[in-house]
Amino acid sequence: MKAIGRWTGSALLLLLAAFVLYECWIFAHVLWWTRNDPDMTRVMSAQLAELREANPGARLKHQWVPYTKISRHLKQAVVAAEDDRFLEHEGFDWEGIQRAIEKNQKRGAAVAGGSTISQQLAKNLFLSPSRSYVRKAQEAIVTLMIETTWSKRRILEVYLNVVEWGRGVFGAEAAAHHYYGIPAAALGPAQAARLAVMLPNPRRYERQFGPRLAAHAERIQGRMHRSQVP
């Protein structure tokens, strides 16, 4: 029994050490990306691998642009659509989470989420799209790392440069060229609103942008001027 106890203790210590090392690895990347731009995320890597199964020469559409080269309309539209308390919270919008829970309970299904831009960025940078309590816990840890070390301006800059906007399309610059043939800096209010409402399911909405989504884009356009951005 003592031998089993020692083995169990050693195994737990190894697991703890592996966990700490993994968190340190993530935190080192977070610190590096405070001033250096990520060229690939976990979501990008997964989608590139998927595309290359069908076409070995496939490449992602992605071009990094600095914060000042992204239309203010797009910044406001994304905040209005995805996280309207972005400048107020510290990574978690508890009011938004409560509203999402109430809406889901009312509908009897998961129709709304409460993830902030910071949480979405944490997931995009490091995590798989799978749904589990372990992944949500890791997402929370990474979100705290990002919120502690990055400014809100940096969080929004990285988010807008790495978020998915269609099959193989990542970041504001690629999205602006893909959908409108213009740079991200030139996006107008209506174009920005349409891009913003695509974010929950960009591959689906790339193929089918129906009347309900168009109406949602109009609502976002109508209120995005009130959105505060860094």
Side-chain angles (χ1 to χ4, degrees):
M1 291 296 293
K2 291 183 178 179
I4 294 175
R6 286 196 298 269
W7 184 89
T8 301
S10 298
L12 289 173
L13 285 174
L14 285 173
L15 286 173
L16 178 61
F19 172 77
V20 171
L21 286 173
Y22 178 64
E23 299 304 326
C24 288
W25 177 83
I26 289 179
F27 191 52
H29 281 78
V30 170
L31 289 176
W32 175 252
W33 287 334
T34 303
R35 296 183 179 276
N36 299 277
D37 303 328
D39 55 2
M40 186 67 71
T41 69
R42 178 72 180 272
V43 172
M44 286 183 188
S45 296
Q47 193 167 141
L48 183 58
E50 181 182 320
L51 291 172
R52 285 182 173 172
E53 287 181 3
N55 176 13
R59 298 179 65 182
L60 300 178
K61 295 179 181 178
H62 177 240
Q63 181 182 345
W64 186 280
V65 289
Y67 190 79
T68 54
K69 296 294 185 180
I70 300 174
S71 166
R72 182 176 177 84
H73 298 305
L74 184 61
K75 297 167 188 171
Q76 291 180 308
V78 168
V79 168
E82 294 291 292
D83 187 1
D84 58 5
R85 297 184 66 249
F86 175 62
L87 291 186
E88 301 172 31
H89 63 67
E90 297 180 353
F92 307 94
D93 182 3
W94 302 112
E95 292 180 14
I97 292 171
Q98 182 60 37
R99 288 197 301 269
I101 291 172
E102 292 172 356
K103 187 173 183 179
N104 292 338
Q105 289 176 339
K106 185 177 180 180
R107 298 286 185 88
V111 296
S115 293
T116 63
I117 285 173
S118 302
Q119 289 175 276
Q120 293 177 44
L121 179 57
K123 180 180 67 176
N124 288 345
L125 287 172
F126 295 104
L127 307 175
S128 72
S130 63
R131 295 176 179 270
S132 69
Y133 290 116
V134 172
R135 203 224 67 183
K136 289 298 291 184
Q138 183 62 65
E139 177 187 296
I141 293 171
V142 179
T143 298
L144 288 172
M145 291 179 184
I146 289 173
E147 282 279 344
T148 301
T149 56
W150 295 7
S151 66
K152 289 290 188 177
R153 177 186 170 108
R154 181 58 174 168
I155 292 171
L156 189 57
E157 178 183 36
V158 176
Y159 178 82
L160 290 173
N161 270 289
V162 303
V163 72
E164 181 186 352
W165 251 301
R167 188 169 175 80
V169 182
F170 288 87
E173 187 73 4
H177 281 286
H178 180 72
Y179 293 105
Y180 300 112
I182 59 176
L187 289 167
Q191 295 165 326
R194 285 177 70 89
L195 287 177
V197 299
M198 291 178 66
L199 289 173
N201 199 337
R203 278 180 265 182
R204 174 187 173 187
Y205 297 142
E206 179 183 28
R207 300 189 308 271
Q208 183 180 6
F209 196 101
R212 290 182 64 182
L213 197 61
H216 183 38
E218 289 183 8
R219 289 193 295 271
I220 293 298
Q221 184 179 349
R223 64 183 174 86
M224 70 191 210
H225 67 279
R226 298 194 297 269
S227 297
Q228 299 297 311
V229 297

